Amino acid sequence: MPLLEVTGLRKSYGGHVAVDGVDFHIGEAETYGLLGPNGAGKTTAISMIVGILDRDAGEVVVDGQPLDVTSVKAKALIGYVPQELALYRDLTARENLRFFARLYGLGGGGLKARIEEILGIIGLTDRADEKVEQYSGGMARRLNIGIGLMNRPKLLILDEPTVGVDPQSRNSILESVQRLAGEGMAVLYTTHYMEEAERLCDRVGIIDQGRLRAEGTRRELVGLVGETDRVTMRAEGDLARAVEDLEKLPDVRRAESGDSQIELLVPDARTHLPRILETVAAAGAAVRTVEVREPDLETVFLHLTGKALRD
Amino acid sequence: MRASITILAKDLRQRARDSTLLVFGVVLPLGLAFMFNVMLGGGEQRRLDATYAVADGDRGVAARQFVEQALRPLEASGDATLRTAADAEEARRLVERKTVDAAFVIPEGFSAALERGAATRLQVIGGVDSAVAVQVAREIAQSYATERRAVQLAVAVATAGGGTVPDRELAERAAAAPVPVGVAQDEVSQRKQLDTTTYYAAGMAMFFLFFVTMMSVAGIFDERRQGTLARLLAAPVSRRAVLLGKSLGGVLVGVLSMAVLVVVSTLALGADWGHPLGVAALAVAAVLAATGITAAVATFARTAEQASNRLSVIAMTLGLFGGALFPVAQLEGLSSVSMLTPHRWFLEGLGDLAGGSLQVVVVPVAVLLGFAVAGGALALFRLGRMLNS
Ligand SMILES: Nc1ncnc2c1ncn2[C@@H]1O[C@H](COP(=O)(O)OP(=O)(O)OP(=O)(O)O)[C@@H](O)[C@H]1O
Ligand SMILES: [Mg+2]
């Protein structure tokens, strides 16, 4: 039996469908990533899964217990880290941890020990009694995650926990998640960073415009694209025309231009590169740099949706 | 409940670091009560400067006695001017036109009734704008009525002490003072009134109570802005418990603020709130009513700003029509409107308490609790929509 089972999840705001029939499941000790661009519906889906938002349709079952906004018992199994910082800025880290832990029924000596343990994990032991308003962005992010760990959840749900974080804090966050997953915690992790999904997740669901477009291990997803490489060129000139011409080349799957760069998918890029460069030059654009990448999740996303993961 | 207490404790910890509540809960109401007290009297030294009309429909011995002994001294000391009115009708007209502050109406057969030992009434008609003068008039009539009773008591003691008083004299005195003389105040004024100092202290306390409890329930919007509402809702805690926890803060701070106001206004301004138990019951019920109403209003808002704007308007309106700012209950027409406000019931409860026994607070307390239950139920009903928006 999976630890989390989500079926037919749906939510619309007015006429706009934010989540449009999402199904997936997470096994014990599995790390599952929801990878999608801004506005894909990740936060909306997560909000329904943790029971803070009423859904229009669908089911959420955690460890055999159905969960909706009124559930109490099932919610105790989940640790939730919201995308936006959710902290009392006028309280200290210790006070924040204590308050939320109490809401999960922790108390007494166990609570004290757990607070120290979490402070250690998030590296805030030295500054635990300072008000959050004096924290740097990275420290606040770490506390935001620490609160979600207080109740030793069976399922940890993190909604884009690294957004707006410096590379160092980001790395330490990723390491913590990896360690927790290694200790047997199931994790649901949303992100629009392909590298994070690749590094952390056993399986990834690719979400766009409220729908899961594909799902599987990294290998399975990359298999969808075949042996396609991704070519990124920094260029100047008439990029639109260059793209138009590139798309006429027999093996080029998809080409896109944006912000002085051209991106295209092509099998076995190395053999096709000379013709590609010729075509671009003929269209009146000057190529500055070229980068060829083996297929990755970004390629998969481009392949599935025709869009880049980030703009 | 455990979760609600946890939320309460957290809110109090945050509140303790912020002075807004102190301002709204203590400083403003006390400051204004003090200001009104200075402006509108309550100070002992100043002359009253009242004008009273007397309509003596009796012209008997007792009536003359009342005027001579109770009213003339006031005239002599320069505190009041007396004039006569032909009858009750004219007396009322004089009050309504504000020619006089209040009128005493002595009914026909007043002296005869007292002589017979039958009940009779002395009527005081008070003007709306003359809270202090009306209050004095009321007290004069009251003490006259009490004095008549005292005479009867003295007679009784004299008899028990061995009949030292001659029978004839005893009979005369008994006949002269059988009472009860009821003090009847006219509809134009309040049935029973608080003294000015207490009235304004109580009015301000009740008025600002709405601003104190508002901050606690509308705090749900602050939780949303900080993102912490998501965590409260994701925790294994029912939504009712969250609402209750946020409301408890308002109840507790409201009760504390009331307590401080009662104590300080008593000590510093000489306010006379009445029986402590009755005051406590009324105050707690008033706090619950304010919390229920503010909770209900907050659940109809979408943002903290919207909630506090609407709540301010409602607090002002209720305060105005409820008589927390001036004694509106004396105005015909508005008197019935004021029954829809908790302020009216709180102030009237205190007035009744001042004039009667402890039981009189039962009805006002019950009505106030009714406001609390109705507001709370509406808030619970709206809660889902509020949290989802
Ligand atoms: N409260 C709301 N009212 C109306 N529309 C909303 C609301 N919340 C989200 N949406 C819309 O639903 C869609 C999905 O939004 P959501 O926040 O779930 O995306 P996301 O994948 O989490 O994006 P991001 O990476 O920017 O966090 C968007 O088009 C968004 O504009
Ligand atoms: Mg999001």
Side-chain angles (χ1 to χ4, degrees):
Chain A
M1 185 183 64
L3 186 60
L4 172 69
E5 182 124 45
V6 176
T7 36
L9 209 53
R10 182 184 301 276
K11 178 80 186 180
S12 54
Y13 291 108
H16 175 76
V17 184
V19 172
D20 191 6
V22 164
D23 307 83
F24 68 96
H25 68 271
I26 301 179
E28 301 264 356
E30 189 181 24
T31 300
Y32 187 96
L34 271 183
L35 177 67
N38 292 133
K42 302 183 294 294
T43 298
T44 308
I46 295 289
S47 301
M48 291 187 279
I49 291 169
V50 299
I52 65 181
L53 182 66
D54 265 325
R55 54 194 180 234
D56 295 347
E59 294 298 321
V60 175
V61 179
V62 182
D63 205 19
Q65 302 187 42
L67 186 152
D68 64 21
V69 289
T70 61
S71 306
V72 170
K73 261 178 80 183
K75 288 183 180 177
L77 302 171
I78 297 179
Y80 170 47
V81 178
Q83 176 174 357
E84 307 293 336
L85 287 179
L87 307 166
Y88 297 107
R89 300 184 59 79
D90 51 348
L91 298 182
T92 67
R94 199 187 296 280
E95 288 167 340
N96 270 284
L97 289 169
R98 190 185 302 130
F99 169 67
F100 287 110
R102 287 229 166 97
L103 286 187
Y104 282 83
L106 274 71
L111 172 58
K112 274 193 111 157
R114 183 70 181 154
I115 289 175
E116 293 313 318
E117 189 183 342
I118 295 294
L119 283 171
I121 292 176
I122 59 180
L124 289 176
T125 307
D126 294 342
R127 319 243 340 228
D129 294 310
E130 274 176 49
K131 284 189 193 172
V132 173
E133 59 201 11
Q134 291 161 13
Y135 281 9
S136 71
M139 291 164 70
R141 277 278 153 200
R142 267 144 49 205
L143 177 59
N144 201 41
I145 294 171
I147 293 171
L149 298 174
M150 281 301 290
N151 63 323
R152 300 179 201 278
K154 282 194 125 174
L155 171 64
L156 176 64
I157 299 185
L158 302 121
D159 194 2
E160 304 204 39
T162 59
V163 166
V165 162
D166 60 284
Q168 196 188 336
S169 287
R170 181 176 178 195
N171 200 44
S172 97
I173 288 171
L174 295 180
E175 273 172 12
S176 303
V177 175
Q178 271 175 319
R179 189 168 50 233
L180 291 162
E183 289 165 9
M185 196 179 279
V187 178
L188 170 55
Y189 189 102
T190 82
T191 181
H192 60 256
Y193 295 117
M194 173 286 295
E195 318 83 61
E196 293 187 358
E198 290 196 334
R199 175 168 158 192
L200 294 177
C201 301
D202 302 315
R203 284 190 306 134
V204 172
I206 291 184
I207 186 171
D208 184 49
Q209 295 184 343
R211 287 169 185 265
L212 268 192
R213 299 298 164 125
E215 188 195 61
T217 61
R218 180 185 188 281
R219 181 187 288 270
E220 286 165 350
L221 287 170
V222 167
L224 293 174
V225 198
E227 285 304 298
T228 312
D229 295 332
R230 184 153 58 109
V231 179
T232 310
M233 290 173 279
R234 297 222 143 263
E236 279 159 21
D238 190 350
L239 303 190
R241 199 177 136 213
V243 164
E244 220 168 89
D245 293 347
L246 283 170
E247 275 180 330
K248 288 181 194 138
L249 294 178
D251 283 316
V252 171
R253 292 261 176 85
R254 216 182 259 283
E256 258 207 336
S257 69
D259 196 20
S260 60
Q261 77 172 30
I262 297 174
E263 223 169 43
L264 56 87
L265 299 180
V266 61
D268 192 10
R270 267 156 251 276
T271 48
H272 290 91
L273 207 53
R275 278 194 62 197
I276 289 171
L277 291 174
E278 261 168 45
T279 311
V280 175
V287 175
R288 301 280 176 238
T289 63
V290 180
E291 193 187 352
V292 177
R293 261 182 283 173
E294 311 275 280
D296 58 18
L297 291 181
E298 188 105 36
T299 324
V300 176
F301 190 83
L302 191 65
H303 170 79
L304 289 171
T305 67
K307 298 187 297 197
L309 206 42
R310 271 170 286 162
D311 5 72
Chain B
M1 196 63 196
R2 179 189 47 77
S4 304
I5 303 275
T6 303
I7 292 172
L8 167 67
K10 188 270 296 173
D11 281 353
L12 291 180
R13 188 182 284 269
Q14 287 178 294
R15 281 293 153 65
R17 296 171 187 176
D18 147 24
S19 58
T20 329
L21 273 185
L22 187 69
V23 170
F24 279 92
V26 177
V27 177
L28 275 176
L30 258 187
L32 286 172
F34 185 76
M35 215 177 77
F36 282 126
N37 194 47
V38 170
M39 267 168 33
L40 301 172
E44 323 291 285
Q45 311 87 328
R46 294 186 314 140
R47 291 241 175 277
L48 176 62
D49 199 20
T51 312
Y52 295 129
V54 181
D56 185 358
D58 178 59
R59 302 188 185 282
V61 185
R64 208 171 326 118
Q65 231 176 26
F66 170 68
V67 174
E68 291 309 320
Q69 291 174 8
L71 299 183
R72 288 288 175 223
L74 221 56
E75 199 177 33
S77 70
D79 281 309
T81 315
L82 292 183
R83 58 168 293 174
T84 54
D87 51 17
E89 258 326 291
E90 196 197 340
R92 175 190 291 274
R93 258 198 317 277
L94 289 173
V95 172
E96 279 171 359
R97 286 204 207 111
K98 300 181 184 166
T99 313
V100 299
D101 295 308
F104 298 90
V105 178
I106 305 169
E108 195 181 334
F110 182 76
S111 304
L114 284 181
E115 225 154 283
R116 265 205 327 281
T120 184
R121 43 189 262 149
L122 181 59
Q123 200 177 19
V124 177
I125 303 175
V128 179
D129 298 324
S130 318
V132 182
V134 173
Q135 178 65 20
V136 170
R138 177 187 166 274
E139 265 161 22
I140 290 168
Q142 176 78 65
S143 70
Y144 177 73
T146 315
E147 191 187 313
R148 299 300 264 189
R149 268 188 217 108
V151 175
Q152 186 182 33
L153 264 179
V155 172
V157 168
T159 323
T164 50
V165 183
D167 278 358
R168 237 184 68 104
E169 203 189 328
L170 180 64
E172 259 172 24
R173 283 170 64 177
V179 272
V181 177
V183 180
Q185 290 204 33
D186 197 87
E187 243 71 333
V188 177
S189 79
Q190 277 178 313
R191 281 176 311 167
K192 287 149 196 151
Q193 276 189 329
L194 291 169
D195 65 86
T196 318
T197 306
T198 314
Y199 169 75
Y200 277 108
M204 288 299 111
M206 186 67 189
F207 182 75
F208 281 100
L209 194 52
F210 275 74
F211 291 89
V212 171
T213 55
M214 154 191 339
M215 288 183 233
S216 72
V217 181
I220 289 182
F221 293 108
D222 297 327
E223 300 272 2
R224 171 177 295 152
R225 207 188 48 233
Q226 298 169 97
T228 45
L229 183 62
R231 280 213 153 99
L232 296 184
L233 298 180
V237 169
S238 75
R239 295 180 160 201
R240 287 153 184 250
V242 174
L243 182 71
L244 181 65
K246 298 305 288 183
S247 308
L248 279 179
V251 173
L252 201 75
V253 176
V255 168
L256 272 177
S257 126
M258 274 279 186
V260 171
L261 289 178
V262 170
V263 170
V264 175
S265 66
T266 303
L267 296 181
L269 304 178
D272 177 17
W273 289 74
H275 195 297
L277 269 182
V279 174
L282 282 166
V284 171
V287 170
L288 292 173
T291 309
I293 291 173
T294 50
V297 174
T299 54
F300 281 89
R302 303 193 131 261
T303 63
E305 289 67 36
Q306 198 179 48
S308 74
N309 288 344
R310 288 183 187 177
L311 280 166
S312 304
V313 170
I314 285 174
M316 293 294 276
T317 312
L318 288 178
L320 202 62
F321 286 100
L325 304 177
F326 66 93
V328 77
Q330 293 176 0
L331 289 175
E332 269 170 286
L334 281 189
S335 179
S336 45
V337 175
S338 71
M339 306 286 257
L340 299 173
T341 71
H343 303 64
R344 159 77 188 255
W345 291 95
F346 176 64
L347 293 169
E348 191 167 297
L350 285 172
D352 289 353
L353 188 66
S357 57
L358 195 51
Q359 296 98 287
V360 296
V361 301
V362 169
V363 171
V365 164
V367 174
L368 287 169
L369 292 179
F371 277 108
V373 169
L378 187 55
L380 270 181
F381 175 71
R382 289 281 313 179
L383 185 63
R385 215 166 307 180
M386 177 203 192
L387 295 179
N388 269 330
S389 67

